[in-house]
Amino acid sequence: MNVPLLEMKGITKRFPGVLANDRVSFDLYAGEVHALVGENGAGKTTLMKILYGLYSPDSGEIFINGEGIHIKNPREAIHHGIGMVHQHFMLIPPFTVLENIIIGEESHRAGILKLDEPANKIREIMEDNNLIVELDARIENIPVGLQQRVEILKILYRGAEILVFDEPTAVLTPQEVHELFKTFREMKKRGKGIIFISHKLDEVLEIADRITVIRKGKIIRTLERKEATKPLIAELMVGKPVLLEVKKPEVKVGEVVLEVKDLRIKSPRGYDVVAGVDFNVRSGEVYGIAGVEGNGQSELVEAIAEDVPIKNGDIILMGKSIVRWDVRRRREAGISHIPEDRHRYGLLLPFSIAENLTLGMHYREPFVNRLQVMNRKAIRDFAKGVIEKFDIRTPSEMTPAHALSGGNQQKVIVARELSAEPKLLLASQPTRGVDIGATEFIHNQIMNAKGEGRAVLLVSADLDEIMSLSDRIGVIYKGRIIREFQRSETTKEEIGFYMMGEKEAEKEAGEGASGGGEERADKAADKGGSGDEA
Amino acid sequence: MKLDRIKIDKYRLLEIVSPVLGFLASLVVLVIIVVAVGESPVKAFVAIYKFSLSKSAKLATILSMSIPLFFAGIAVAFAFQAGVFNIGVEGQYFFGGLIGALAGIYFHFPPFIHIPVVIIFSMLGGALWALIPAILKVTKNVHEVISTIMFNSIALALLNYLVNDPLSGLGKGKSLEPQTAKIQSTALFGKINGFFRLLGWNVPDYVYLDYSLIVAIIMGIIVWFVLFRMRYGFEIRAVGTSLDVARYAGMKVKRLQIAAFLISGALGGLIGLQEIFAIRGYYTYNIASGLGFDGIAIALIGRNSPLGVVFASILFAFLKQAGYGLQFYTSVPNSVIYVITGLMILFIVVINEITAGYIKALRKKEAL
Ligand SMILES: Nc1ncnc2c1ncn2[C@@H]1O[C@H](COP(=O)(O)OP(=O)(O)OP(=O)(O)O)[C@@H](O)[C@H]1O
Ligand SMILES: [Mg+2]
């Protein structure tokens, strides 16, 4: 236990206009989980990318088992026993789990792929580490949580001793997080070293043995698990005490802004991903949709935001059906959208932050003049204001969006969508990958929007987020909103219960006798709920 | 901060010289082939030098040859910016040229109107020929590479027929190449060689530095301005960067793609200006072919930017001229010369792509 598995010493990395890592030293022992926490843009990912050979440091040294090494690229990193689970998985969707694990390492006899030996080896790894996946399943058919397991299997198969997880839980459900932590514990027992990055301090406190706080590129302190508390970590991260709560404004809930009626959407695979959804959102109200990912919430939000083909039903914005409207028209009518996949839908990565901040408003004055010439000064000035207001950490407004840290990219999108002053804000996972300070800030911005009488539809896998922001909560399961609650009349546990569809299952089992009665009771509760607010 | 700037510029510089690296590599290919066919490489280089860089007249010839190549490159590049792969510039050029020529033959205007009219008609013709592939792409998802290639063949066949029969300008029994009637003198492009002579550049009379050069300069500036300063150019580049993001931002993605496709076709329609209105004075389907395809390589080397396309088209013109030099002064067979210029182009494109890719990786690593 005295020679660390990994030691990084005096790592410095400078990007244009930022010192991302400033003489950072970090170590990891076999059999421990070492958490790395810090604000968005603090330099966590940069440090890990240096370790994995994706960036070359300006100075500093890396030792493995006490031996100094140079890592020029990921291949060498893997060779030295370093594995990284990326936030965006590097898997080939139409290939099977087995094929994805052995790709690049495959062996053959007379040109025919050997599959049995690797399969046996992988099964062993799976059992040792609580990482069970069906080897013949295709990646495209398995949920995100299992895909992540495949990623982990991939690096264990290559003999990794040091495993880096950069925000692995951001895409997982609470149950999947639980399973992942079980895996961590198994790996610890086997002497692996795990570096864990997360913005969720509860998770960090649950699993980490040591916690290192990094702020603006500098290591602030490494805490032992027993001395660490949530407020202490938060304070070390931000540099001042943080209030971990949101102020909920008192607002009179107004008229219905959004109404969704018996909406059905067919998935490309044939079944109804959205299978008859009814709900409404009123001005000054936050309607939270809770559910395990993949139960139709993405498709539901997409159908409100843009003109995707729907099978049945209607979407009504302030009394007008919008199902036939294109995106531009919906935006002009007052819909803003924070999409869940920020890279795919939210940002033009090679374009400047200023251009990204005006995207969607870019065709309006003052950003263009009457001759449709872009007013670059107006765009930059607007961006400067927004960057200041939303505390986006960037060297300048002309920096390309791809150069921002993950959380700051998210802030760009949130800032843009809120600056459009919408009547209805669709917020899908608005704080995914965002640090506590910024999460608090975004939550308060959403509350401000509510205070200004905007309607908010919030979709989040994070139950705490749903509970702390919503006025009403609908639980979505298999494409239907199976229950709707007043925030004040429910608990996190109850919602979590419904998210698993357990009552639903029970109901179906006991169909007839007690089941029918319960269903009626549910309906009555719903009616009661709506009655209260009206 | 200061230091960072210098670092950025280092990479920028490397990026700019990467076509030069490709060019040097292509010279090696040249030497190898020349030696292989039993000719002296020294003689080959002398031939190339004599024919390209030795005299101001030769330089002027290169500039002249680069004009249609520039239009071809910028046409392809414009579509690329919107993520559209317009292989059909060739057909659009043939068709645009015909429409422009017809406007030159059958309309009667004073020159200061007639010349803009034939330019506009050439563009309309090119755009028209891009219209169906554009519509097929956005409505029926027919890939533009397939449809435009087919439209290239259709254009050739159609023009062959038109020029031979309905639009033939030849009296019966003449054995000249099939061609249209003569273009009105009011629509012909004059030369501006005199202007260059005033500037002290001795451009001889036989070189064509004509009005099409002015059109090229104006178009280059307009294209740059539209792409990088105007809202629609911004939207076109956004669509080319990410369809999904553009759609989420409320852009009319399909319309933008159609527009970029048509503008690309319109720019392609200008390729023939010099040959039709300055050199020949009539239209024939024997006008230089293959320029539309050269445009693809030029756009690639020029990285789809108007300024890059300027340099790439001059480089291309030089290569063509070098080929003529070899033809004239050495015993290398013509067919082998085509192989050589073709290989040189290939090498420039490939090496340029490889070095650019490598620089990008380096850049990413240092994250500059
Ligand atoms: N490729 C790059 N080019 C320029 N600057 C970069 C690049 N990558 C990161 N940076 C900058 O370096 C700093 C550290 O970024 P990094 O991604 O390491 O932050 P992080 O701690 O992982 O943040 P987050 O929690 O938001 O993911 C940020 O200021 C970021 O803008
Ligand atoms: Mg990060």
Side-chain angles (χ1 to χ4, degrees), chain A residues 102-159:
Chain A
I102 62 172
I103 196 164
E105 298 275 306
E106 64 270 31
S107 53
H108 57 87
R109 187 181 295 125
I112 295 168
L113 210 54
K114 278 201 239 166
L115 290 176
D116 290 349
E117 271 171 55
N120 289 335
K121 187 175 158 199
I122 293 166
R123 285 211 183 86
E124 215 168 284
I125 301 175
M126 291 203 298
E127 270 155 38
D128 288 349
N129 295 287
N130 181 42
L131 280 170
I132 307 299
V133 199
E134 200 189 313
L135 283 179
D136 297 328
R138 285 181 201 288
I139 294 295
E140 60 198 356
N141 295 335
I142 63 175
V144 178
L146 290 187
Q147 293 183 9
Q148 189 176 64
R149 286 189 184 176
V150 178
E151 283 279 2
I152 302 171
L153 283 168
K154 219 166 123 179
I155 60 181
L156 288 176
Y157 182 71
R158 284 160 179 68

Side-chain angles (χ1 to χ4, degrees), chain A residues 326-332 363, chain B residues 231 235 250-251:
Chain A
D326 63 10
V327 183
R328 163 97 32 112
R329 194 148 172 219
R330 294 183 197 210
R331 280 190 171 267
E332 304 230 298
Y363 58 87
Chain B
R231 167 198 160 187
E235 296 195 347
M251 295 179 193

Side-chain angles (χ1 to χ4, degrees), chain B residues 215-242:
Chain B
V215 179
I217 292 169
I218 293 172
M219 282 300 159
I221 292 170
I222 292 177
V223 164
W224 173 83
F225 189 80
V226 168
L227 276 179
F228 296 100
R229 288 292 178 273
M230 287 192 68
R231 167 198 160 187
Y232 291 109
F234 174 75
E235 296 195 347
I236 280 172
R237 288 185 297 122
V239 166
T241 304
S242 166

Side-chain angles (χ1 to χ4, degrees), chain A residues 40-41 43-46 87 166-167 197 199 405-407 433:
Chain A
N40 292 129
K44 305 178 293 294
T45 299
T46 303
Q87 200 166 357
D166 193 351
E167 298 187 35
I197 297 177
H199 289 295
S405 78

Side-chain angles (χ1 to χ4, degrees), chain A residues 410-422:
Chain A
Q410 182 69 15
K411 284 202 248 176
V412 168
I413 295 172
V414 172
R416 173 180 74 211
E417 298 302 322
L418 282 172
S419 310
E421 312 210 319

